[in-house]
Amino acid sequence: MNYKHLFCLLFFVLFVFPGFSQETETEKILKTFHSISSHELLGFAEELSSPKYKGRLSGSPEYLDAAKWCADKFAEWGIKPANAGSYFQDFPNEYSEVSSVGKLVYSSQKGKEINYRFPDDYLPGSNSASGSVSGEMVYVGYGITAPELNYDDFKNVDVKGKIIILESGVPYTKNDTTLTKWTPYAYHRYKFKNAVKHGAAGMIYASKIANPNTVNLDDFIYAHISNKVVEQIFADAGKDYKAVKKLLQKREAPSFALNKNQKISISAKTKYFPNAKSYNVVGLLEGTDPVLKDEVIIIGGHLDGQGQMGEVLFPGALDNASGVADILGAAKALAFSEVKPKRSVLFILIGGEECGLYGSKFYVENPLFPIEKTKMMINLDMVGNGTGFFVASGKSFPEIYKHFEDANDNFLHRTMNASETRKNYGRPRSDASIFEDAGINTLGLWTRNSVFPVHYHLPMDKINVLTPEIMEDAAKLLYLSILSVANDEGL
Ligand SMILES: [Zn+2]
């Protein structure tokens, strides 16, 4: 071949047969797909879990710093502010700062003092009042007074001036319409108020997790304790905790006062901010189709965590820095993708989830796109530890879910299962349920088959419990399937 022939061939390749030199749509998508890096995603999660954001307690200044950091990322990638020129959507969010890990001291039947250990035996109450309280104890089961259900945990006991031991939950476990009757009593806030109404001076909650989804009531001091500690206190009174719990599950309200010599003392140091505000971070990638751009797909996940207790950080790495990192990864990919979404894509990093789903409730009451134009929402919560995927409600929306299945089958090859939507007759427990109740086709993405232990709402929920490989694949799954849903004109 001489130079003249070579020139002719090049001319043919470059100009006559553009298929040779131009990338196909799939090639363009794959280029972006492969740019999603586990290294970068882990970096996002590490940033958000770092001590400077103090565990991202919704309402706190450090939460706002984390929100601003995420908004800066959106801006850097060309994702537009979605709320009338702002990346933020604000809502009221009272909160309490826990300034010390406090103290929990037990005085036994025989007068022996035990200093319980943080965080193995107890955790301070996220909304406890500040100060100290000590006294005799009364076990009140679920702490529910429901005359219409002929149920009262307080009926045979006097808790005035005493410290109650309380369980979370309600005495009904089936998810059916009967549960609806118990739902108002399932809220921690209800239980706290009912305890105060009956004159309790303080409380130990037999559910040892950090939990801002409670309420700050004047002078009401409380802490969370482990089941092991309750067992010990019961044993000291000659009671079998497991047997009592069985009675409780049978709706027998087995409340009783512990022995008079047994005493507990709780010390807490907190600061209450009743008028605080918090924020959803909202970023928009406008669709390219003149008609379809009025329809939107929402990718969301909560940015907030449980905060910090004294000097002890609750990093919330899996819950939910992982989900936010996945969303940021997908957002960046969608923003840089040469193949653009025809429908609009709205990213919401939700605030106030841990305090009681404040941010998602605020969004559905003040949506940035009409609800009927919202084609779907996918919520990510704890998506960063495991080897497989689970898509909640995927089976109920086959025309949406098929895009996720195709993406996984063709490019990711992870085990992926889906469930059908099942109405929850109990208390809503996730942002997804709020979007679902508002009438939006909502999916939930989780990782399955944990590689590392899951330290739910504990200081050990650190960056080292994340599996960056699945985070990369979660972002890739989102990128491929959301782009595909956004461009499916048949939807
Ligand atoms: Zn969460």
Side-chain angles (χ1 to χ4, degrees):
M1 195 191 295
N2 62 29
Y3 280 105
K4 199 174 153 198
H5 282 129
L6 185 65
F7 181 78
C8 286
L9 184 66
L10 262 178
F11 183 85
F12 181 77
V13 167
L14 291 175
F15 303 105
V16 180
F17 189 21
F20 269 105
S21 61
Q22 275 189 1
E23 286 173 304
T24 64
E25 185 161 279
T26 308
E27 282 166 342
K28 285 180 187 166
I29 290 173
L30 277 177
K31 206 164 64 180
T32 307
F33 173 84
H34 286 301
S35 75
I36 297 173
S37 132
S38 60
H39 190 75
E40 186 174 39
L41 298 192
L42 192 66
F44 295 155
E46 200 163 8
E47 167 77 21
L48 294 170
S49 309
S50 69
K52 66 177 153 186
Y53 301 124
K54 288 192 173 179
R56 311 181 304 281
L57 181 62
S58 197
S60 71
E62 293 80 11
Y63 171 84
L64 180 57
D65 289 344
K68 282 180 181 160
W69 183 84
C70 294
D72 285 349
K73 287 283 159 201
F74 283 162
E76 184 186 321
W77 302 330
I79 295 169
K80 298 266 169 346
N83 186 22
S86 168
Y87 284 111
F88 304 102
Q89 196 182 34
D90 65 279
F91 50 87
N93 193 142
E94 58 175 359
Y95 77 100
S96 308
E97 179 189 291
V98 178
S99 351
S100 141
V101 298
K103 261 187 167 186
L104 190 69
V105 184
Y106 173 60
S107 187
S108 80
Q109 175 72 8
K110 289 185 177 156
K112 193 181 153 209
E113 278 211 341
I114 303 174
N115 268 287
Y116 286 124
R117 292 160 308 155
F118 169 94
D120 297 337
D121 301 326
Y122 81 96
L123 294 176
S126 294
N127 284 301
S128 175
S130 210
S132 295
V133 63
S134 50
E136 294 169 29
M137 287 171 281
V138 180
Y139 180 74
V140 296
Y142 293 116
I144 292 171
T145 305
E148 77 284 13
L149 293 163
N150 197 21
Y151 185 91
D152 188 3
D153 280 306
F154 289 89
K155 72 174 176 238
N156 297 320
V157 287
D158 178 9
V159 302
K160 274 193 198 75
K162 309 273 171 65
I163 294 172
I164 57 165
I165 306 174
L166 186 92
E167 307 276 356
S168 66
V170 295
Y172 192 84
T173 48
K174 264 199 242 162
N175 183 33
D176 59 17
T177 48
T178 305
L179 183 60
T180 313
K181 296 179 187 157
W182 291 96
T183 301
Y185 306 106
Y187 291 86
H188 306 297
R189 285 172 172 75
Y190 159 76
K191 290 177 182 234
F192 283 33
K193 285 176 186 163
N194 197 36
V196 168
K197 207 166 115 188
H198 282 85
M203 180 175 81
I204 45 179
Y205 209 163
S207 134
K208 204 203 70 184
I209 56 164
N211 191 358
N213 185 9
T214 51
V215 61
N216 187 303
L217 300 171
D218 299 340
D219 307 326
F220 192 61
I221 295 165
Y222 75 96
H224 297 262
I225 47 167
S226 72
N227 276 350
K228 219 178 104 201
V229 169
V230 187
E231 241 174 81
Q232 282 169 4
I233 293 174
F234 271 48
D236 200 16
K239 290 268 186 185
D240 178 352
Y241 183 42
K242 288 192 179 97
V244 171
K245 278 198 101 163
K246 274 198 186 123
L247 291 177
L248 192 60
Q249 272 141 24
K250 285 196 217 154
R251 284 193 277 287
E252 291 191 16
S255 302
F256 66 96
L258 282 101
N259 293 342
K260 288 203 182 309
N261 292 342
Q262 293 180 282
K263 299 221 166 71
I264 195 105
S265 152
I266 314 166
S267 305
K269 199 169 174 213
T270 58
K271 197 173 172 201
Y272 178 42
F273 297 89
N275 301 314
K277 272 200 302 191
S278 195
Y279 306 85
N280 293 328
V281 184
V282 286
L284 181 70
L285 209 55
E286 199 171 74
T288 51
D289 184 276
V291 179
L292 288 179
K293 76 178 167 79
D294 292 338
E295 295 179 349
V296 71
I297 289 156
I298 300 179
I299 308 179
H302 73 89
L303 172 62
D304 65 315
Q306 304 97 48
Q308 184 163 316
M309 293 184 166
E311 295 306 308
V312 181
L313 180 71
F314 287 63
L318 178 61
D319 184 11
N320 186 33
S322 66
V324 172
D326 298 336
I327 295 169
L328 291 176
K332 184 180 177 188
L334 285 162
F336 283 89
S337 179
E338 288 171 45
V339 178
K340 302 287 179 198
K342 290 178 182 165
R343 292 194 175 86
S344 296
V345 181
L346 178 65
F347 304 97
I348 313 183
L349 308 177
I350 302 165
E353 193 263 2
E354 302 289 7
C355 304
L357 313 175
Y358 292 165
S360 48
K361 283 177 189 163
F362 188 86
Y363 179 84
V364 299
E365 281 158 21
N366 305 275
L368 299 172
F369 277 78
I371 298 289
E372 61 279 9
K373 293 274 184 193
T374 306
K375 294 303 274 187
M376 66 164 283
M377 190 269 178
I378 185 159
N379 187 55
L380 280 82
D381 200 349
M382 302 174 74
V383 190
N385 175 4
T387 60
F389 291 122
F390 184 76
V391 184
S393 296
K395 280 190 180 165
S396 295
F397 308 110
E399 68 292 352
I400 294 174
Y401 183 55
K402 73 166 196 259
H403 295 279
F404 288 77
E405 271 188 314
D406 287 351
N408 185 52
D409 291 349
N410 295 328
F411 300 101
L412 297 163
H413 319 292
R414 295 273 184 180
T415 45
M416 188 160 93
N417 308 96
S419 63
E420 270 181 64
T421 306
R422 260 189 90 205
K423 185 166 168 46
N424 174 15
Y425 293 99
R427 156 174 91 80
R429 302 288 292 268
S430 79
D431 288 323
S433 57
I434 301 299
F435 283 89
E436 198 176 291
D437 288 348
I440 295 168
N441 298 342
T442 303
L443 308 181
L445 183 64
W446 283 301
T447 39
R448 280 203 134 170
N449 313 322
S450 307
V451 174
F452 299 110
V454 174
H455 302 290
Y456 184 68
H457 287 210
L458 291 170
M460 294 83 88
D461 184 7
K462 291 181 182 167
I463 198 82
N464 60 358
V465 299
L466 299 181
T467 40
E469 299 82 3
I470 195 88
M471 291 171 62
E472 177 181 310
D473 278 5
K476 284 177 165 172
L477 178 72
L478 280 179
Y479 166 63
L480 291 178
S481 47
I482 296 301
L483 186 59
S484 188
V485 172
N487 291 344
D488 180 352
E489 293 180 20
L491 259 186

